Amino acid sequence: MTQLDTAPVTGGTRPRHHDHFIDGDWVRSSGEIIERRAPATGLLVSQVAAGTADTVDRAVAAARRAFEDDRWSQVSGFERAAVLHRVADLISTHAETLARLDAEEVGKPILVARADVAGAAQLTRYAAGLAIQMQGTTHTNNGPEHTGLVLREAAGVVGLITPWNFPALILSQKLPLALAAGCTVVVKPSELTSSSAAAIARLYAEAGLPDGVLNVVTGDGRAGAALAEHPDVDVLSFTGSTATGRRIIAASAGNLKKLSLELGGKAATVVFPDADLDAAAAGVVFGGFFNNGECCVAQSRLLVHTDIAEEFLAAVRERTAALRVGQPLDETTDVGALIHEAHLRAVVGAIDRAEEAGATVLVGGSRASSPQLAGGSFLVPTVLDGVTPQMAAFSDEIFGPVLTASRFRTTEEALALANGVDYGLSNSVWSRDIDTALPFARGLRSGSVYVNTVIDGPPTMPFGGYKTSGIGREMGQAGFEEFTELKSVSIRTGTRPGRFTIGTPPAS
Ligand code: NAD
């Protein structure tokens, strides 16, 4: 069975080391090494090779060779599905190890990391089904002598660039679907959280994925940029910030590669007076602080009706104050460490600026003071009240455990506030009245809407953004189709003479 390099999660003293995985080999790099310290302890936990444009070239060449022979793109969907099912089994077998790697490197609570890995296994199984279901359409609407076949084909060599907040999960929202379609892949994980991607690559190899079909180049934005601009990459699927997404659009212009971009968010969670207020308060706190608030679908803007604002905010405050800030590997932790010290400082800066602009801190607002947490980047979960649309805290992604609260009087005002930001990834609405909730959901300009629930839904539902939250969709049939091309084949049978008049030689 594959041994995954788990030190020091399992108590070892040496950091994990990850090389590039190219054409079935782990390629030791003699170049620059990027060190990763656990955000909760400051301990050096892993070192990754910093991939260069040259490394990316080699990985793309391996993926191109693998795409062009018959080892993956030409095998049946059933064979691809069998490999993906074996990977799903292996992810489940190694679930605890993978969860601990992500919890340690991200600083996220282990309970969240376990749910991520369970989601990764589920997505891989879903992708296996898609491999079997891959199909096009036939068109018999153009007369008896014309038959149209629209073939759905693998798009080619795919580049996948992932962020640090859900390393195993977001990789699995892309990789198994691209492989299910018959594509070959080069992955560039976040330089801050590469360990689970390296471990998952080992599991794909153990499951029998042929060499060269999956390649992993570790490194930072330089490796990502080389992949985004590479002329032999057909599709680039990226998850990360909107700022980097814009750079990727520019970099991809050379060969006009197909792009799928999952970018930032600034979701509103809208609470009407007729909501189940207990459930809504629990949902608002979960939505705001899940994964340390370092979540593209964090429901970070609470919009509450004035009639219930005082009572509801008191409930939210009480629940927020009860959240346990602690070590990521502690089973009782609700909120762990932020990704690094510089990010913690940026989040504290955003809170300070909101206060200067007139917001009030209902709870939290500073780094955790407990001596056990002194070595890490821990913030006390924070609720800011009185946040107005003019404040940066209302419209800018803070990406930490910070919930802003604003009030509304009318449904129209709530909708204008919810839609009044540049992002459009997700929003949520809490009301017991379908005549309130459903029209509101339909009026929201976002790719996902949660009604009386939050951050919810199976992998069969597409996920992605309106406005500056992205281009394209991940998961669901739509997510699968991002990794495919359509080819229209026109077939004519029967009598052809008389159809092709231009260029027909004159009858002699
Ligand atoms: P980031 O944009 O800084 O980095 C994401 C990835 O891009 C990393 O692998 C990084 O190395 C790489 N990268 C950096 N510069 C690059 C460049 N010029 N060209 C190509 N690649 C480059 O984002 P992050 O800080 O890792 O993640 C946080 C952001 O991701 C937040 O904005 C969050 O909302 C967003 N996010 C979105 C989703 C979604 O599904 N919409 C999910 C998770 C995170």
Side-chain angles (χ1 to χ4, degrees), residues 162 164 188 191 224 238-241 244 262-264 296 397 463:
T162 55
W164 48 259
K188 207 299 285 173
E191 62 276 25
F238 166 80
T239 301
S241 62
T244 307
E262 302 293 335
L263 309 176
C296 55
E397 193 179 38
F463 175 75

Side-chain angles (χ1 to χ4, degrees), residues 33-92:
I33 296 293
I34 299 172
E35 295 195 329
R36 176 66 181 145
R37 293 186 177 273
T41 57
L43 180 73
L44 177 65
V45 287
S46 58
Q47 297 171 316
V48 296
T52 61
D54 189 47
T55 327
V56 169
D57 253 350
R58 289 168 60 194
V60 172
R64 175 60 61 191
R65 283 193 300 277
F67 184 73
E68 283 181 356
D69 66 21
D70 56 6
R71 73 186 98 160
W72 187 250
S73 58
Q74 302 302 318
V75 304
S76 79
F78 293 92
E79 282 179 62
R80 292 202 291 271
V83 173
L84 291 168
H85 277 302
R86 285 198 290 277
V87 173
D89 289 342
L90 286 167
I91 289 176
S92 299

Side-chain angles (χ1 to χ4, degrees), residues 149-179:
L149 301 179
V150 179
L151 307 180
R152 185 169 292 286
E153 300 186 335
V157 173
V158 170
L160 305 178
I161 302 177
T162 55
W164 48 259
N165 56 346
F166 292 95
L169 182 64
I170 290 179
L171 178 64
S172 304
Q173 290 174 194
K174 302 176 187 292
L175 175 60
L177 279 77
L179 294 175

Side-chain angles (χ1 to χ4, degrees), residues 352-371:
D352 291 347
R353 282 192 297 282
E355 273 193 277
E356 283 159 20
T360 51
V361 174
L362 280 188
V363 55
S366 56
R367 67 186 304 153
S369 56
S370 137

Side-chain angles (χ1 to χ4, degrees), residues 275-295:
D276 173 343
L277 294 181
D278 249 6
V284 163
V285 170
F286 179 86
F289 301 110
F290 168 69
N291 205 55
N292 306 340
E294 295 170 314
C295 182

